Structure formats: C-alpha cells, structure tokens
Amino acid sequence: MAKQIVQITVNGEPTDVLVEPRDSLLETLRENLEMTGTKEGCNNGNCGACSVMFDGRLVNSCLVLAVEADGKEVTTVEGLATSEGLHPVQQAFLDKAAFQCGVCTPGFLIATKALLEKHPNPSEHDVRYYLSGNLCRCTGYHKILEAVNAAAESMREGA
Amino acid sequence: MAEKKQWRVVGTRSLRPDGMDKVTGQAKYGSDINLPGMLYGRVLRSPHAHARIVSLDMSEAAKMPGVRAVMTAADLPDIASKLQELGESVADLRDESHNIMATGKVLYHGHAVAAVAATSLHLAEEALKAIKVEYEPLEPVIDVRYAMSDDAPLLDPARKMRGIGDEDGKPSNIAQHFQNKRGDLDKGFAEADYVVEREFYNATIHQGYIEPHNATAQVHPDGRVTVWCSSQGHFGIREEVAEVCKLPVGMVKVVPMEIGGGFGGKTKVYLEPLAVIMSQKTARPVKMWMNRTEVLLATGPNPGSLIKCKMGCKKDGTLTAAAAELYFEAGAFPGSAVGAGAGTIFGPFKLENMQVDGYDIVLNKPKSHAYRAPGAPNAAFASECVVDELAELCGLSPLDFRLKNAVKEGDRRADGPVLPRIGLIETLEAAKNSPHNNTKLAPSSGIKRRGRGVASGFWFNGAGPASVILNVNADGSLTQISGSADIGGNRASLANIVAEVLGIEPTDIRAQIGDTDTVGYTSVTGGSSATHKSGLAAHECATKIKEEIIKRAARIWETDAENVVYDDQSGAITNKADAEKKLTFKEVARQANRTGGPITSEVSVNSGGAGPAFAVHIVDVEVDIETGKVDVLRYTAAQDVGTAIHPDYVEGQLEGGISQGVGWALNEEYFYNKDGLLMNASLLDYRMPTMLDLPKLETIMVEVPNPAHPYGIRGVGEVCVVPPLAAVGNAIYNATGIRLYNTPMNPPSLLSEIMKSGLAELPEASD
Amino acid sequence: MKEIDYASAATLSEAASLLSKAGDRARVLAGGTDIIVQLREHRRDIDLLVDVKNVPELSAMTYSATDGLTLGAAVPCYRIYETPAVAAAYPGLVDAVSMIGSAQIQGRASLGGNICNASPAADGIPPVIVYGATLKVQGPNGSREIAAADFCVSPGRTAMRTGEFLVSIHFPPPKPRASAHYLRFIPRNEMDIAVAGSGAYVELDAGGQTFKTVRVALAAVAPRPLPVPEIGEFLAGKTVSDEVIRRAGELASQAATPISDMRGTTEQRKHLAGVLTRRALNGAIERARG
Ligand code: FES
Ligand code: FES
C-alpha cells in the first residue's frame, strides 16, 4: 500500500509525516522524525524502553502503528521538560542517581509520570507493579524506587 | 599507601555531568544516529545449529527494491590466525572474522550468513528473504559432556587440544586443558575430617543489556572510515574493525556513542565490519542494529559450565585442600572465561593444597564472551555451595567458617600471586555486623518456607592504559575529555576527582568521552578497571593543571611559583609574599591567554592493578513448596570498594550485580531444543528480573583503600555478581533442606526435588 | 515486517465487508499487541489489517446489574478495571486483565483480542468461560453467538469462520453469593506467559456452605483453554470443605494434558493445575461469601 501522510501531535506540535502501514510509531519517531529519545530495547512489548503517552495512555510505541496515531497526541521524553526546567520526575531520577547506562530511563520517566498522575501516593508494591513492564538491567531498581518516591513527593507538593 | 581520609568532593554524591542529557532524551546512543543518505543493514542468520553451507546465492536479493549492497563472508578479507586481547578475554582474530560471518559451516543458531543494505529497514528485511541458502544440516553438539566424548561431531576437524602434556594428537572439541596446582592435594585431603564433593552445571545466560548492539559506518572518499557505535571501549573496536577489514588502524575512527549497558558483552565487534564493508560498496553511511532475538542468538553470552568441586576441612573448620575441574562451553570458537573461573574459584579461601583443572570446549552455541566477572560466578556457585555444606558439618555459621579461612594481605592467591592489601576480613565482619545478619528470619508458615543464605566472592580487577584531557575555559569551567566509555557514572567519578584536586565544583566540569581521534588510547571499560585507570589519569591531569595555575598566578603577581599557595579545599590561591593578594581558579582561568596561552593538559597512564575485590552477600528467600517458586525477601551486599569516589554509582554497581545475580540464580537460561535451536530468544521468555522480583537492596560499602591509587580506588563493578548464585542456592537449602546443583534454580527444577523429597504433603497429580 | 495494507472501519458493515473480501488474507487490528508482534516475527502472513477501534459496537462497554456486561471486542483491558461497577461485579475478570502484559500493554490490548488470538495460555479466556459468557461474532451475512467454552478450538484457531470477527462479549449479570477467581503460575512476578492457570466460578447456597454451581477452566495445560466440567459436576451440591476442594484439584490435574516446553514441564503443569485450581476455588469462595 502506498505511503500515506498522517498527522501526529508530538509533544504538542502537530506534525505531518509520511509513513507506511507497517511502520511502528517507535520507528516513525526515531527514524522519520529523528526524535531518538524514545528507545528500542526489544521491539516486542517486553521491555518498556519505548514507552510514550498516547492520547493520555501509557503505551509501548513499538506496538502501535504510525497509521493508528493519525490525529492522536503523543508525549515522548523530549516533551517532559519545559522552558521552566525539568519535570519533577526527571529531576528525581537525576537527583537519586536512578540510572546507570540510562537507556531504560526515557521509558521509566514516561511510565512514572503516568503512574503518579493516577496514583499520587503509591505504595512500594504499586510502584513495582506499575513499572514491572519497564526493564532495567543496570540498577536493580533500588534507586528507581527511591526516585519514584521522591518524584511523588515533589509532585504532591507542587500540586 | 593511601590512608582512608575525608575528601571534599571525592565521596560525595555530585550530579553526573551526563545526567541532564539522559533524563531529557538528548543523549545520543548508538542507534540514535541519523545521517544523510543513510542505508539500513540487516543480517541473514542461520536457522540451524550446525550445518554446511552448500550454496549461497545473493543474486535475487541484490535485485530487490531498495537494495544497494549485499555481502557474504567472501567480502571479508581472509585474515591470518592471530591472538588478540579483547577487553576481558583473548580471541583469535581469524575466529572473530568467521564468527562475524560464517564461512563454509554455520556453527550455531543465529550465526550470520549474509547481509544486505537497503534504503529502508523493511526493504532490507524483505531482501533477506530473497537470499537463497542451501544447508546440509549436521548433528548439533549442545551438551558439554557430549562435546568432549569421542562420538561427538567435531566443529572443526583441524582443531586439536592444547594441553599440559596430555595431548593425544587427535582432533577434538576440547580446545584447551590447563592446570593450576599448589601444595600436596592428597596430603591435604588426608588431613580433612570432612570432605564434600559435588558436581554443578550452569546454563548459558546473557548479559541482557537493554540497548541492542548497533553500528553505523561511513566510508570517506579517501578510504578513511568512521564508525559510530556504543561499546565498552572504542579503541578496541577500532583495532578489531581495522584487523577484520584489513585497514590500517589510523584509517579508522570510532566515535563512542552513549552505551545502553554492556556488562562485558560490548567489547567485541559483530556488526561494525559489516557496516564498513557495505559502506565501502555503496559510498553511503550504513546503519545497523540488532533486534532482541539477534542479540540473544548471536552475540557473546556467558558460557555454560560443568564444574566438579571437592573441598576438605578439619573439624574446627580449617580448610585443608580443594580441587576442581571446570569444563566451560566456549561456544562455536575457543576462548571461554574458564581461565578466570579457575583463578577465582577458591579466591576467598586460604589454601595450601589445591588443584584446578580448566577445559575450554567448543560446541554449537554462540561464541561466549565476557559477562561481569567472567567465569567467576559459575565457579563460585560450586565452591561457595560446597563451603556451605562444610560449615554445616562443622557446626559453624557460614560467616564464621569463611572468617576462619579468609585470605589476607600476604597470602597467596589460589592461582599463585601474593595478595596485596585486601579487605575480605573487614567485609565478612561488616556482613556479620549488618542489620540483616542480626535480624532473625521470620518463621516459615505452612507452604511458605523461609531460609537465609550466605556466599562470598572474589574478582581480580583489571587495569590498563587510559587517557584524560583537561581544557580550562575562560569562565573557569573545565572541559574533561576521557577515553573510557561511560556505562554507569564514570564521567561523574572523574569529575569528582578533578574537582577535588583543583578545589572547584563538579558542576564546573563539562565531561565528554573523546573519540579515537581526539584522546589518547584507553583500554576497555571492563575488568572493573575504568574508574581506577581513568581516575589515575584524571588525578595526574588535574594535578598538572593545578601546577600550571600556580605558575600563571605567579606570573600575574610577578612572583616566584614557590610563593603561590593553592588550597584545594577552598580553591583559594594566595601569595605568601603578599598576604593581600588573592586569586581564584576562575580568575586565573580568565587571564590564561594573557599569561601564556590556553591552559590544557593531557595525561595517559598505564595503570597497575585496580586491587582485588571481595564481596559477601546475605539473602533471605521464601519458597512456595507447592509451586517451587522462590521469592527474594531481603538482600544485603557487603563489599570492599576501596574508596567510593562517587557512592551513588558504587552502590549502583552493587545493586545491579545483585539483580543480575538473582536473575541468573533463579530464572535466566538459554533454553535449547534437541536440534540445538534457541527457543527463548526474547525478553518475554529470557526472564530477567522485573521491578516486582526484587526487594529493597541493602548495600554496605567497606572502604579498604587500594594502595595502588592516590584516592584508594578499587574496582567495584564485577565482584558483586559473584556471590548471588550460591547465596540464593544456600538460602533455598536453608528453607527447604533441598540443595540444587544447577542454575537456574527455577520452579520446575525445585518443584521436582520438592516432590521427590515428600516435603509437601500434597495431592499428587495422578492419571 | 512485510508490506501490509491498513484500513480503519467506521461501522460494523464496513468491517464485515473489508474482512470478508480479503478472507484469510486479512486480520482484525484492535490493541495490536499480539498481531503486530506476530507480523514482525513472520508468524502470520496477511495482506490487510482492519482497524476496528472506530466501530462503535466494538469500543462500547455497557453494564447493568440486571443485564450484565457487554464488552466490545476492542475495549482495552484497563477500561474494565478502571470502571468501578464492572470491576466490582466481575473480580475474576479483573484478575486476568490486570495480569495481561504490563500497564503499557493493558492500555492497548483488548480482552477480545486475547480471546481471538486463541492462545492455550491466554489469561483472559478461562474467566470468560467460567463466567458463562457468550461471544457475538459478525460475518458477511449477519451475526451469531458462540458460547465461550466452545470458542477456542486449537492453538491460534477459533470457531469463527473466515470473514467472521468478534463484536462483543456478554457476561451474565452477577448472582448473589457467587464470584470467580483467576490465578496463574509464572516464574517471575509479572510479564510472563502463564505456565499454568486456573479460573474458578463458584455459586453458593443461601447459607454460603454448599456449592450450587461451579465452573473451572484451565490455561496452558491443553491445546486450548480447557473447561473442566467434571469439577462442576463433582462439587455441585457438596458442602464446602478442604477435602472436596483437594479432590477438585486432583480432577484438574487429571484433566490437564500439557506439553513440556521452555515455559514449563508436563509434570509441573499437571501439578500446578491442581494447586491453582484449589487456590482459585478458595479465592472464589471467599469472594462469594463477601
Ligand atoms: S521496545 Fe517496545 S517494549 Fe521493548
Ligand atoms: S540504567 Fe541501564 S538499563 Fe536501566
């Protein structure tokens, strides 16, 4: 099938992009739009590195087709910080040294934001359960848990 | 010798210089590169574990839409056999080349056979389907015992064992046999009151870094080649690319991209030469990255191993003798980590009588490669479980038994060398005094059985050349360019050191990794060496800057340099000849061009040992005796870390080591079918721990400074993965009375032992 | 991935005509979490994906205490547990849909897709069977209903004919002193495919001591999600006791005909079928008693 133009609002910016039906949202972000903040770890829905917000929902962008994103809003890690500064989740991951190699970090940041917007005061189990779709091989998750808790606190204070 | 002392910046939790880019998505990892006119390369891989390639026809594929280049092994130069140090292991470059692309035979499921470059990833993939390969399948060799037997098919009929006088001259899958021996084994075992002898098996496992391997190459019209990739050592990658593609090393530039985890696995080329060859064919940049299946099938996993271990001790717990035979699955080509396994197996124990035999065996699995303390966890699983049994026989606690036999400075390491200042005893004592060890395990109830296990571990720690450049900027900030790939906070550690020396703040430092054309040769970030060796270079480099700043201050004040005092605590620069005069680093920096030109310094070192490391772990588990499932309830890791230059990233190493070790102990394995095909090559079925599989982790940093470093840095990144397998195994035993001798100690294996033991009085399945 | 076409249907009849025209060269796209992976791994060969998320009937979820729950086939998992009335009425369904993949997957994957994928290990299917749900499928010539227990026939194959697709799943309204529980065994604590699973539905008498109706279905121990009617027949009319539940577990183990693969062994799975059935029954009883 011929390529088609879809309009995806990426981090608030409506963007026209030429895609094939078989292109995933992840490929489209990374290869067409050169927004490489979103990472590929498995391309199969098993690692969460490609997590983005898709019309307000946390999804794996490797399991969404770009054509499905026509008319939708996507938030990637590049859309978290504003001219005012880092999002509290970003600040907490930085402050708490919640990453080593950092390749899982964009996915964790997006997933954590999704979690905290839904559960402002999550229990340890809530955090571990909600983030269990995001694999990190470097950290053992200990400092990630601390960062999520710190982010939750600062978001509650900011709210 | 470095004294333990309080530093101003060293030992603080400064923000890492590369952190901002990593939380904003701006950091560029290997496959984040996009170049004009870029092609996408894909690899065709063997569907067989062992087969002869009868014919290979690329003609249809070459004609497919969008295809711009195709290649096979015939496009790689034929290179001579030559041994080469590759980060943490030694390999033959000819084997390397044949591993990168199969010639004549495919030797494992996923072995690369051909590659194409096309204008899109999808088109490249479609072209792979048009490649015609005819295979003649051969019997696969997957089991290490079978591989050694006379009946087993030979992977390479020309290969004969290198031995210790026991060569029989016949072709063999055993590539090498070596022996480490000391004292009198028979006498030692004769003195023993208790002797325990067991056999262990570890399944093949993978490093599991989240970022897949990647490489982008651009050939320039004059023949120079630029390669962008994520690796643990871009200088090593440059050497390998040059050797495999037969290019002068100076024609190859490797640009280090951010690396998404390596753990030893990213010290070797797989895709780089293919991208180079296809870029040579097209004069266009070629980008390649593996999908997850390819990563698991065809990179360098940790070798499976069969280990026989026998140890003896007196009634009071004193070890009298130890012997082990280690049979490591090198994979399709020789060169497993059996040497390191043999060198570490009895590392924490003072032994006069010992013998270790190592065997390096080829079979139809991917060529194994380094994984965090390569070989040591396999080995420690055997020795530390046997020690647990001996301790029980003697009626000693596992920690007391280990304290009784602990090596210390001046003792001989099991494989020969005399140990320098080490901290095993301090670490065992820290574990003994830990809150964890002093808290009683909550009692078991019903089907949930609880147990506690302990294990220790040893790792050599490596060293090597490293380079650092510092450029002072006019605003008093500093550009730090180092040659070590930064996987988990290396830039931050170096920035702490530089800031310490110069009396400035880590936030004044812009830290980067230099490419191979920018900074001096630096060996791989591996062997737990990077902070040590680059730290030495950074310290010396900053010291030179400091000397220069003093000279410049003297020039500004028109006085002798001897009169200038540079206080590295406050950063204040004062003049002994004139108490009124004061300068700061920033002020001197601003005047650099008026006082003699730019202030820069470059230092390269060739460091000695990063200092042997020891770790002691304690773990509590809960076993569901109806299902065989093991949950980790509590975990404490104590480790001699020398000096924690940046505690966050030292703790991070310990925590990561625990996580990988627990995954290895409980669930991770390469699951082969009878045809030698890997069945679980996905992150769904290759089960690494999720956030729900681990508790909060407790780390105890014992600081026994390494005398071979001004700040006492010791390698920390690897020894932390050595104890977990045995610690978990010992805890399962403590919980259930069942000893498992194979990893993974997964639910089906534990359940089947539970059912045999009658531990669970349950309705049996009947049919 | 090979080249494919994509069409988004706006109505039932449009979806029906697209799918019937393409026959077995087409496949429905709802959450995509299975089909996209299958296409990428060359495990399915089709030419057309028909996106049904814009078909109102497939994206609707309606519930009332008198009529029960009608769940459009493309409704993502999260909508089930994020709708309090539905979550409260069908806790055994919530068990399953909150363990399918991760939060990311549950944001896309639908129960309908889980059913149509017809994996023997699907977590979503045993609860649908034990709740006694009916599946409404649409074909070129209209719609028909299939009982959940009859829907899956073999790995990856359903009772739907070429050109037919799932529209909705209807769950009967909850009864008093009745509930369900679904459990699975996996080696990790999340993210795995079931080694074995068991779903149990229990309706007790007024006193809460005697089984009136029991239905059990197993996952990952047979070529299809496996209803075990023997358990219902055995337990009906019996007083709740450890002894009869133990016997029910034995019946589950006996009914199981699992294979050994990378996810588990035959012996382990037969054993787990029993353990999980006991635990699922106990969980369902506890819920039924409220
Ligand atoms: S890349 Fe999408 S989940 Fe792993
Ligand atoms: S920090 Fe490396 S995978 Fe998470």
Side-chain angles (χ1 to χ4, degrees):
Chain A
M1 182 160 134
K3 294 193 176 196
Q4 62 189 87
I5 291 179
V6 296
Q7 189 177 77
I8 313 175
T9 301
V10 184
N11 299 326
E13 187 70 49
T15 309
D16 291 335
V17 47
L18 188 63
V19 300
E20 286 186 76
R22 61 181 160 181
D23 292 341
S24 69
L25 177 58
L26 175 64
E27 287 172 78
T28 303
L29 287 169
R30 289 181 51 82
E31 305 300 322
N32 299 30
L33 300 177
E34 302 193 12
M35 299 192 64
T36 54
T38 306
K39 303 301 180 198
E40 174 183 321
C42 70
N43 210 23
N44 257 349
N46 298 319
C47 76
C50 66
S51 299
V52 299
M53 296 303 284
F54 185 69
D55 264 5
R57 266 285 140 190
L58 177 66
V59 303
N60 291 319
S61 60
C62 69
L63 296 186
V64 176
L65 298 177
V67 285
E68 294 180 275
D70 195 14
K72 307 277 193 200
E73 302 218 3
V74 173
T75 306
T76 71
V77 66
E78 290 100 334
L80 293 183
T82 64
S83 54
E84 308 289 297
L86 295 181
H87 187 278
V89 172
Q90 292 173 304
Q91 191 65 51
F93 271 65
L94 187 56
D95 292 345
K96 295 288 176 187
F99 52 95
Q100 287 169 35
C101 78
V103 81
C104 67
T105 309
F108 268 99
L109 294 170
I110 293 284
T112 301
K113 179 172 174 280
L115 163 70
L116 297 179
E117 284 169 358
K118 205 170 295 190
H119 307 284
N121 196 1
S123 68
E124 179 180 341
H125 184 268
D126 291 341
V127 175
R128 290 187 183 276
Y129 172 73
Y130 197 85
L131 298 180
S132 63
N134 290 78
L135 290 177
C136 173
R137 189 60 159 172
C138 299
T139 64
Y141 306 104
H142 183 82
K143 292 188 186 333
I144 292 177
L145 177 70
E146 289 182 344
V148 174
N149 289 337
E153 202 180 315
S154 94
M155 282 169 74
R156 286 197 303 271
E157 279 163 14
Chain B
M1 174 174 135
E3 290 290 308
K4 171 89 182 89
K5 69 174 247 193
Q6 218 36 56
W7 312 97
R8 188 180 59 88
V9 186
V10 162
T12 63
R13 298 173 189 262
S14 57
L15 287 189
R16 64 195 278 176
D18 51 319
M20 189 61 78
D21 287 351
K22 286 183 177 161
V23 297
T24 52
Q26 288 167 2
K28 291 288 180 200
Y29 291 75
S31 56
D32 295 346
I33 187 160
N34 285 296
L35 297 170
M38 191 170 78
L39 300 171
Y40 292 82
R42 294 291 299 159
V43 176
L44 181 74
R45 298 185 180 277
S46 167
H48 302 287
H50 195 189
R52 193 174 315 287
I53 301 173
V54 178
S55 66
L56 179 52
D57 178 359
M58 302 295 288
S59 56
E60 288 302 313
K63 286 184 259 170
M64 291 288 284
V67 171
R68 298 291 176 265
V70 298
M71 72 168 290
T72 68
D75 294 292
L76 284 172
D78 195 9
I79 55 175
S81 190
K82 175 177 159 192
L83 289 181
Q84 167 114 339
E85 291 260 4
L86 293 175
E88 301 189 316
S89 60
V90 177
D92 185 316
L93 283 164
R94 191 149 193 274
D95 289 347
E96 284 290 289
S97 175
H98 293 174
N99 189 37
I100 288 164
M101 208 153 255
T103 47
K105 276 211 308 188
V106 288
L107 294 172
Y108 55 94
H109 181 201
H111 199 165
V113 172
V116 303
T119 50
S120 90
L121 189 64
H122 296 300
L123 292 174
E125 252 175 31
E126 287 195 54
L128 294 183
K129 283 186 248 155
I131 299 173
K132 295 201 191 85
V133 199
E134 195 189 324
Y135 295 100
E136 177 198 334
L138 303 169
E139 185 195 342
V141 186
I142 295 301
D143 180 80
V144 66
R145 289 185 185 86
Y146 181 54
M148 291 187 282
S149 74
D150 287 341
D151 311 333
L154 294 166
L155 269 72
D156 178 358
R159 181 174 295 114
K160 295 191 180 120
M161 187 182 83
R162 286 188 290 135
I164 51 169
D166 53 347
E167 302 87 345
D168 62 5
K170 282 197 296 197
S172 173
N173 288 325
I174 306 174
Q176 196 194 350
H177 169 215
F178 63 87
Q179 189 175 71
N180 302 336
K181 194 173 169 172
R182 218 146 41 74
D184 183 339
L185 204 62
D186 292 340
K187 180 170 150 277
F189 279 118
E191 282 167 14
D193 295 310
Y194 303 114
V195 175
V196 172
E197 183 172 8
R198 302 282 179 238
E199 197 171 300
F200 299 84
Y201 183 75
N202 298 105
T204 303
I205 57 150
H206 197 269
Q207 296 85 352
Y209 31 78
I210 300 299
E211 177 205 38
H213 286 257
N214 54 77
T216 303
Q218 164 92 73
V219 172
H220 307 279
D222 57 0
R224 283 177 306 116
V225 174
T226 304
V227 175
W228 294 261
C229 65
S230 54
S231 81
Q232 290 171 248
H234 39 296
F235 289 90
I237 298 295
R238 176 173 69 165
E239 286 169 350
E240 285 180 67
V241 167
E243 293 279 1
V244 172
C245 299
K246 268 201 176 157
L247 289 163
V249 88
M251 292 293 275
V252 181
K253 167 172 157 181
V254 179
V255 181
M257 306 297 283
E258 296 296 341
I259 166 171
F263 313 109
K266 285 189 188 148
T267 54
K268 187 173 174 176
V269 296
Y270 298 97
L271 298 175
E272 289 83 349
L274 309 184
V276 168
I277 301 285
M278 293 196 288
S279 179
Q280 283 173 337
K281 285 175 178 249
T282 55
R284 290 170 68 169
V286 176
K287 167 157 130 175
M288 305 181 78
W289 72 94
M290 292 189 187
N291 64 29
R292 180 53 55 175
T293 303
E294 294 178 284
V295 170
L296 289 163
L297 283 177
T299 60
N302 187 78
S305 62
L306 171 71
I307 299 178
K308 299 179 184 173
C309 180
K310 177 179 176 186
M311 299 176 83
C313 70
K314 295 193 177 148
K315 281 207 175 78
D316 70 354
T318 311
L319 286 168
T320 58
E325 291 167 31
L326 292 80
Y327 303 88
F328 271 45
E329 300 174 350
F333 299 96
S336 71
V338 65
T344 53
I345 184 162
F346 300 126
F349 308 110
K350 188 171 158 62
L351 280 164
E352 296 308 329
N353 308 303
M354 55 85 71
Q355 178 176 321
V356 183
D357 286 88
Y359 297 85
D360 191 43
I361 294 145
V362 295
L363 37 52
N364 295 116
K365 294 186 181 181
K367 163 69 178 72
S368 68
H369 197 52
Y371 177 24
R372 207 169 194 167
N378 304 50
F381 179 55
S383 55
E384 296 282 333
C385 287
V386 167
V387 159
D388 201 60
E389 290 198 50
L390 288 175
E392 192 183 18
L393 288 168
C394 297
L396 285 171
S397 83
L399 286 169
D400 286 334
F401 186 94
R402 286 173 174 82
L403 270 167
K404 185 156 196 97
N405 292 290
V407 283
K408 55 181 189 307
E409 182 174 359
D411 287 341
R412 235 171 225 300
R413 219 164 74 184
D415 58 337
V418 174
L419 288 160
R421 179 77 174 97
I422 51 166
L424 174 59
I425 291 174
E426 290 86 340
T427 307
L428 283 162
E429 271 160 2
K432 205 171 161 179
N433 295 328
S434 67
H436 189 163
N437 190 51
N438 290 293
T439 310
K440 268 216 154 50
L441 190 62
S444 302
S445 66
I447 56 165
K448 306 274 191 183
R449 304 292 165 90
R450 295 183 165 196
R452 178 169 292 172
V454 167
S456 59
F458 158 69
W459 182 246
F460 315 98
N461 286 339
S467 308
V468 170
I469 300 173
L470 292 171
N471 295 329
V472 178
N473 301 317
D475 61 353
S477 67
L478 214 86
T479 307
Q480 166 192 307
I481 306 168
S482 53
S484 282
D486 182 357
I487 314 185
N490 186 250
R491 272 166 290 203
S493 299
L494 300 189
N496 271 8
I497 291 170
V498 170
E500 180 74 50
V501 173
L502 292 171
I504 60 176
E505 295 307 318
T507 45
D508 293 329
I509 295 167
R510 308 284 159 263
Q512 335 177 351
I513 314 297
D515 65 44
T516 54
D517 281 0
T518 303
V519 68
Y521 186 93
T522 301
S523 58
V524 63
T525 296
S528 299
S529 65
T531 306
H532 174 79
K533 67 193 173 197
S534 291
L536 267 182
H539 182 265
E540 212 178 304
C541 199
T543 305
K544 285 197 173 161
I545 295 281
K546 187 176 172 182
E547 285 160 9
E548 188 61 26
I549 293 280
I550 290 173
K551 273 190 219 149
R552 301 300 176 94
R555 212 165 285 165
I556 293 168
W557 287 328
E558 297 177 351
T559 183
D560 285 346
E562 288 83 80
N563 289 330
V564 178
V565 180
Y566 189 144
D567 177 13
D568 59 12
Q569 289 303 301
S570 64
I573 301 165
T574 50
N575 187 343
K576 272 195 272 185
D578 183 348
E580 296 291 288
K581 296 240 162 96
K582 277 193 173 54
L583 278 168
T584 62
F585 178 83
K586 282 193 168 52
E587 286 161 350
V588 179
R590 196 180 316 131
Q591 300 182 47
N593 285 353
R594 272 179 278 131
T595 57
I599 302 174
T600 71
S601 159
E602 167 156 16
V603 167
S604 293
V605 299
N606 203 346
S607 86
F614 292 88
V616 179
H617 290 195
I618 308 176
V619 60
D620 293 351
V621 301
E622 183 174 84
V623 180
D624 179 335
I625 57 167
E626 284 190 335
T627 64
K629 176 134 182 271
V630 176
D631 274 310
V632 177
L633 302 178
R634 184 170 185 180
Y635 206 111
T636 297
Q639 184 175 321
D640 171 16
V641 301
T643 299
I645 297 298
H646 196 304
D648 278 343
Y649 298 105
V650 174
E651 289 163 358
Q653 289 296 323
L654 271 55
E655 291 156 6
I658 296 170
S659 168
Q660 290 188 315
V662 166
W664 189 341
L666 292 178
N667 277 311
E668 294 178 32
E669 69 176 315
Y670 270 33
F671 190 97
Y672 286 97
N673 73 3
K674 64 172 183 3
D675 298 323
L677 304 185
L678 184 61
M679 301 307 288
N680 62 333
S682 75
L683 291 185
L684 180 63
D685 289 309
Y686 183 84
R687 303 185 193 94
M688 310 199 293
T690 72
M691 201 166 180
L692 266 174
D693 299 318
L694 291 163
K696 287 187 176 135
L697 306 174
E698 294 159 66
T699 52
I700 303 172
M701 295 186 282
V702 179
E703 295 192 293
V704 177
N706 176 8
H709 190 281
Y711 292 139
I713 301 180
R714 211 179 268 287
V716 299
E718 290 176 289
V719 72
C720 40
V721 80
V722 182
L725 314 193
V728 170
N730 293 337
I732 291 173
Y733 168 73
N734 187 242
T736 61
I738 291 168
R739 282 215 176 265
L740 295 176
Y741 300 104
N742 299 344
T743 59
M745 297 173 272
N746 58 13
S749 16
L750 182 50
L751 180 66
S752 100
E753 291 305 316
I754 290 171
M755 286 167 82
K756 275 186 237 160
S757 74
L759 181 67
E761 313 272 272
L762 290 170
E764 290 291 327
S766 49
D767 43 344
Chain C
M1 195 189 286
K2 87 177 253 289
E3 200 166 358
I4 43 161
D5 281 348
Y6 167 89
S8 178
T11 63
L12 267 187
S13 58
E14 193 185 347
S17 89
L18 282 164
L19 286 163
S20 68
K21 220 183 297 161
D24 60 7
R25 302 304 299 163
R27 195 84 189 155
V28 168
L29 175 69
T33 56
D34 281 320
I35 186 71
I36 292 174
V37 175
Q38 290 163 359
L39 293 172
R40 202 171 269 150
E41 294 183 344
H42 312 292
R43 285 191 278 131
R44 264 196 212 272
D45 179 20
I46 55 159
D47 301 323
L48 172 67
L49 281 174
V50 179
D51 190 341
V52 294
K53 289 189 288 293
N54 294 320
V55 177
E57 290 86 341
L58 277 92
S59 287
M61 180 170 79
T62 56
Y63 169 72
S64 79
T66 46
D67 297 336
L69 171 69
T70 301
L71 191 66
V75 172
C77 290
Y78 78 86
R79 280 182 57 197
I80 298 170
Y81 55 74
E82 286 187 6
T83 309
V86 173
Y90 304 96
L93 184 57
V94 171
D95 292 334
V97 293
S98 53
M99 63 173 66
I100 293 174
S102 54
Q104 285 87 337
I105 301 284
Q106 290 157 25
R108 297 288 286 168
S110 64
L111 181 65
N114 193 247
I115 297 171
C116 293
N117 193 47
S119 160
D123 294 309
I125 305 178
V128 174
I129 295 175
V130 300
Y131 273 118
T134 331
L135 310 180
K136 181 175 169 192
V137 304
Q138 174 85 36
N141 310 315
S143 67
R144 63 182 178 119
E145 293 193 338
I146 304 174
D150 302 329
F151 193 74
C152 297
V153 295
S154 63
R157 294 197 67 86
T158 69
M160 286 191 296
R161 296 187 275 263
T162 304
E164 282 185 331
F165 61 99
L166 183 65
V167 177
S168 60
I169 308 142
H170 178 74
F171 294 80
K175 295 193 180 167
R177 287 173 306 285
S179 196
H181 192 37
Y182 175 75
L183 279 170
R184 69 175 178 188
F185 180 79
I186 54 172
R188 291 183 292 187
N189 288 300
E190 271 301 326
M191 293 304 287
D192 289 334
I193 303 288
V195 175
S198 179
Y201 171 87
V202 163
E203 191 187 341
L204 302 174
D205 72 346
Q209 296 307 323
T210 305
F211 291 109
K212 269 173 78 178
T213 307
V214 176
R215 285 187 292 267
V216 169
L218 305 174
V221 295
R224 62 185 196 118
L226 187 70
V228 192
E230 306 90 283
I231 295 178
E233 286 155 22
F234 168 72
L235 287 178
K238 294 225 165 47
T239 306
V240 175
S241 73
D242 286 350
E243 182 48 36
V244 296
I245 290 170
R246 202 183 65 83
R247 179 67 196 138
E250 286 172 9
L251 290 172
S253 288
Q254 281 167 19
T257 57
I259 53 164
S260 282
D261 65 8
M262 63 190 162
R263 293 178 184 145
T265 64
T266 301
E267 182 197 30
Q268 176 198 19
R269 284 179 158 134
K270 276 182 92 73
H271 172 80
L272 288 173
V275 172
L276 296 171
T277 296
R278 281 192 282 113
R279 293 182 184 182
L281 280 167
N282 281 322
I285 291 164
E286 199 176 309
R287 284 175 178 168
R289 287 174 175 165

